[in-house]
Amino acid sequence: MATELDVLVVGGGIVGAGAALDAVTRGLSVGLLEQRDLASGTSSRSSKLVHGGLRYLEMFDFALVKEALEERGLLLTQLAPHLVRPVPFLYPLAKVWERPYVGAGVALYDGMAMTGKYDMGVPKHKHIFRKELARIAPDIKTDELHGAIRYYDCQVDDARLVMTIARTAANNGAQIATRCKVTGFLRDGDRVIGATALDLENDVEFEVRAKVVINAAGVWTDEVQALIGGDATLDVDASKGIHLVVPRDRIRSDCGFITKTEKSVLFVIPWGAFWIIGTTDTPWDLDLAHPSASKTDIDYVLRHVNSLLKDPLDHRDVVGVYAGLRPLLKPIAKRPKGDGGETTKLSREHTVANPVPGLVLIAGGKLTTYRVMARDAVDHAIRDFELAPPSITERVPLLGAWGYEARTNQRVALSRESGIEIGMIDHLLGRYGGLIDEVLELIRSRPELAEPLEGAPLYLAVEVVYAVSHEGARHLDDVLTRRTRISIETFDRGIACARPAALLMADALGWDDARVEDEIDHYLRRVEAERQSQLKITDQEADEARVQAPDIV
């Protein structure tokens, strides 16, 4: 880049994309570098919940819960109504005394949401007794339960949210570059004035100059700090959480459910034609790019969910498995006075640090409060700018939000005009919102794209092409794992549709036959490596199996 940017963001996860959007909508010039694909790390492997964090009430962290509930309402009602949707949950009551205790907590949860700055957006909680519970969730063991409490939170396709935030930033002028790895920082004395990077696809080194750099690398924070030299300001550990995907018909219930385990929280979350079940919470100090779910992890989740079910699940019921890493902040390192470093703990969940002039680090936090984290990071980064406009992201709907309600009201007409059955129109609206017009325009120009994708009939062929033409997908893995969720929503993990999808991408990206074969071979190797890792007992064995399939770039 020939000119100096105001802000360079390192990291294309939820916080990095959010920071790019926050900065560019303030009128700043912004660039973002991501070493792999958008959301390829933690931000595509979460529980996919937008929630206040009910468990934090037990810790008396009321401010954190209120903040998260406000962000939930803002996302649901204003910023991303096409991506975020309410989900009912049951909290089963195993003891008589839990009804007043849990009921008071959920009432407080709803009360905080109702008194927040934005619309609550979801129904209030309700007490459910045993007979009604048996009707709502016939596959849950009710004999030893004293009913349940039903409450609402929200869910989102996390990778889709990140990609949409990045597209919204780009639409406002931000420059987004994926497959570009930061290799060092440019310095002017003590001050960071930009970064050196390597374009991994073309093997080209380049420099990006910026007035300030924001590092939002998540679990890679320590690696980025090492490029600065000296003592680390933030100490980030990785904690692994795994999730299972099972068919919806294996658990008859109108609601998801949540219960506590000895190590974490167990969620059973409705996800279209599936359930997502998780999670674990275990330390991970192996490959950060490809955390692996072991057989031990899978058995742990199955054991806990089966304690609630009349008809237990086993490994044969599992369609997909994914593992992600949470960046957990350890106590902030103390720095000698006068070294120029500064750390500001802005929340129990996230921290902003300024280890050297010109560089800001942001770490911790969770998906729901990404906008607050991004705002805090940019506020910190530009505090010495002559012109430092305030954040406006609470008033910037994401791409697809505009027109979503109107197109939803027109769903029958859209179905008739396009010849696409109405259930698939609903599917497209829930993924693209008002941008469904762009998807349907592609179909008008190429009617064959209206057909279901071979090997993955829950998606249309057009979605593969649109992922390349509009959503920045560069590789088969990007499409099958993040732009769609085929890799965890088909029993064969997407193997049957790998070739049809690669051929559609080849037309859009100009791939030759050899490149098509390379992309397919890489994807098949990745699936096999993941399958093998999930048969191993220990993390070490699982990691060794998974790294047998390296990234394509």
Side-chain angles (χ1 to χ4, degrees), residues 126 130-138 142 150 253-254:
K126 180 183 177 183
R130 187 180 295 168
K131 188 174 180 180
E132 187 178 3
L133 177 60
R135 181 182 60 79
I136 293 173
T142 56
R150 184 180 66 196
S253 178
D254 295 339

Side-chain angles (χ1 to χ4, degrees), residues 186-193 211-213 339-341 354-360 384:
L186 301 173
R187 307 289 283 262
D188 182 4
D190 289 337
R191 186 174 187 85
V192 169
I193 58 168
K211 294 176 183 175
V212 65
V213 177
D339 71 345
N354 186 200
V356 295
L359 178 65
V360 168
D384 296 329

